[in-house]
Amino acid sequence: MGDPAGIGPELMAGVLNLPESCADAGVLAIGDRRVLAKGEAALGISLDIETLPRDAAPPQPEPGRPIFYDMGNLDPANLPAATASAIGGRSALENFGLALDLAREGKVDAITFVPFNKEALRLGGNPFDDEMSFAADRLGHSGTVAEFNVVDNLWNARVTSHVPLRDVADLITEERLLEHLDLAVRALKEAGFERPRIAVAALNPHAGDGGSFGREEIDVIEPTVRKAQALAQTQGFAVEGPYPSDTVFVRARDGHFDAVLTMFHDQGQIAIKLLGFDRGITVLSGFAVPITTPAHGTAYDIAGKGIARLEPTRLAFNMAKQMAASRK
């Protein structure tokens, strides 16, 4: 369970209420049972789910029999409604932290979380910029990790993420490009793509127009793509580019590519969210287990009204199961 003041409780309740969710996986839900009850009330449902206390031994749920691990860490009566708060952020960090601990111990194969609020996480004690860095620290992971956004089977990977725009050009290196291309290939294969087709976006307008608007394409991006193409046949993927970023997603939308590797955050985020904001999911990759979440936020303005769209959470949960099954 993510931020308790947003739509997360009703999204968790809604997914747990779907027969398909638990039929093919042992599902462990983590949060406060009182907060989940608020989500049930918003949807007008009542879940039949076994509940265990926080001090119980970590359970091993079986397919078709989900278990709720009651952290008992948040009385809804003390939670400021529909706003970021320290108490809400603290509970979200505790819930996510336990899921990560179970992953580190090899007791879970994948994690899905309903939306966090970064301000609430910071108020609740998160010393990092985002939940991905928190996860890396908790898992003791020092390697490269990446955040992918997915809409209708079209993936967006990126070479840089939560960094100032002024720093992006200096971070576009052969090493980073190859690292994030490799992560994308592995994640796509886990998601069911037998031979992923990846387009690489340029950094500058018109792909630099022969050096007229920057040399990153000439000096770094194109040579790296050519180097990757030499590996692609033996490693089972295809890569092309660099393509101007204002047209590459049109090509991908029309079926020419399975993924686009962009150079910075909004270069891909804007395109993906325009293509399907109400269907988008986010995949955190590079960790010992796949981690997924719906791509939207906490939607405080509609929290508790029972009108939040369940589809992105359902898709994120199904993606986690699929990627975990692929690894196993």
Side-chain angles (χ1 to χ4, degrees), residues 84-292:
S85 68
I87 187 173
R90 192 178 309 118
S91 71
L93 283 174
E94 289 177 357
N95 300 335
F96 193 35
L98 175 60
L100 294 166
D101 291 345
L102 294 172
R104 189 184 65 241
E105 296 165 7
K107 295 177 179 177
V108 300
D109 301 310
I111 297 170
T112 294
F113 61 86
V114 291
F116 292 132
N117 179 282
K118 288 182 174 56
E119 180 186 2
L121 294 182
R122 179 178 55 79
L123 292 171
N126 185 18
F128 303 100
D129 291 334
D130 54 31
E131 57 270 22
M132 187 161 63
S133 299
F134 176 84
D137 179 75
R138 192 75 171 230
L139 292 169
H141 182 86
S142 58
T144 302
V145 294
E147 183 178 272
F148 304 118
N149 289 98
V150 186
V151 168
D152 298 337
N153 237 20
L154 173 58
W155 287 56
N156 170 220
R158 50 186 185 254
V159 178
T160 68
S161 189
H162 298 137
V163 300
L165 195 55
R166 68 170 63 246
D167 297 339
V168 168
D170 291 337
L171 294 171
I172 305 301
T173 64
E174 177 184 297
E175 181 182 13
R176 287 182 67 93
L177 277 162
L178 291 176
E179 282 180 345
H180 286 273
L181 179 62
D182 178 64
L183 277 176
V185 170
R186 284 190 279 145
L188 285 158
K189 287 188 174 184
E190 287 176 356
F193 293 90
E194 185 174 345
R195 184 175 179 270
R197 302 166 300 156
I198 301 172
V200 177
L203 173 67
N204 296 297
H206 305 289
D209 206 2
S212 300
F213 310 128
R215 293 191 55 86
E216 285 79 10
E217 289 76 18
I218 294 172
D219 295 339
V220 181
I221 301 175
E222 185 170 356
T224 304
V225 170
R226 302 296 165 254
K227 185 172 184 177
Q229 286 174 331
L231 304 171
Q233 291 300 320
T234 58
Q235 295 185 9
F237 69 95
V239 59
E240 297 180 22
Y243 293 107
S245 60
D246 60 352
T247 58
V248 67
F249 277 94
V250 177
R251 293 171 181 252
R253 180 202 63 189
D254 292 344
H256 298 288
F257 302 104
D258 304 309
V260 178
L261 177 64
T262 52
M263 297 299 111
F264 58 92
H265 185 277
D266 285 1
Q267 192 180 39
Q269 284 279 74
I270 293 171
I272 284 290
K273 290 187 176 182
L274 278 171
L275 285 170
F277 181 75
D278 59 351
R279 303 185 303 280
I281 70 172
T282 298
V283 178
L284 307 185
S285 186
F287 296 115
V289 298
I291 303 174
T292 68

Side-chain angles (χ1 to χ4, degrees), residues 31-82:
D32 190 295
R33 188 65 182 87
R34 295 165 293 181
V35 178
L36 182 65
K38 298 280 285 187
E40 292 173 79
L43 298 178
I45 63 174
S46 179
L47 293 171
D48 179 17
I49 185 169
E50 181 182 357
T51 300
L52 295 178
R54 179 177 188 165
D55 56 359
Q60 293 294 321
E62 300 176 359
R65 299 179 61 189
I67 294 174
F68 191 88
Y69 207 41
D70 187 4
M71 299 288 282
N73 57 5
L74 181 62
D75 184 347
N78 299 326
L79 178 69

